[in-house]
Amino acid sequence: QVQLVESGGGLAQPGGSLRLSCVASGFNFRSYAMSWARQAPGKELEWVSGIYTDGSGTFYARAVKGRFTISRDNAKNTLYLQMNSLQPEDTAIYYCARVEKTFGPPYDYRGQGTQVTVSS
């Protein structure tokens, strides 16, 4: 069955960095575009970034463009999100998701999420 397992979240200070990872299994990872999305307390799930199957195209929400970098390693079935210049408003649970038709939600498959907290 499809499994997506995120890791790498934690507590960061404003201006700090974190790198999220998502290991995929149960499907042909290299055949699917992938997305990162996040959900802050009391808010709806929000798309953050997407990447084409071969990494040739990457896309970002306006709120994170220039600070976050999405990448993938198809040999390792792993998706990454490098997050720099973190701000308190980046605090959320971050999910990786398999793209079926569009980069944004809803998603048929997403992981359990990893908590990112940005606070001094």
Side-chain angles (χ1 to χ4, degrees), residues 35-37 45-48 97-107:
S35 279
W36 286 99
L45 187 65
E46 172 191 30
W47 174 74
V48 172
R98 194 177 85 173
V99 173
E100 307 298 333
K101 293 184 178 179
T102 63
F103 281 119
Y107 301 110

Side-chain angles (χ1 to χ4, degrees), residues 9-74:
L11 176 64
Q13 292 189 339
S17 298
L18 286 172
R19 189 194 195 203
L20 306 184
S21 298
C22 170
V23 177
S25 61
F27 66 102
N28 189 0
F29 179 73
R30 65 181 67 238
S31 294
Y32 285 86
M34 298 292 294
S35 279
W36 286 99
R38 67 187 182 185
Q39 188 164 24
K43 295 189 176 181
E44 293 186 351
L45 187 65
E46 172 191 30
W47 174 74
V48 172
S49 182
I51 187 168
Y52 283 163
T53 56
D54 60 356
S56 61
T58 57
F59 307 89
Y60 301 93
R62 186 176 302 176
V64 307
K65 194 169 187 177
R67 300 187 297 120
F68 290 9
T69 302
I70 189 172
S71 62
R72 64 191 297 162
D73 185 337
N74 286 342

Side-chain angles (χ1 to χ4, degrees), residues 80-98:
Y80 302 100
L81 186 68
Q82 177 68 43
M83 306 187 296
N84 298 329
S85 301
L86 283 163
Q87 303 167 5
E89 51 265 39
D90 295 318
T91 295
I93 299 174
Y94 283 72
Y95 301 91
C96 68
R98 194 177 85 173

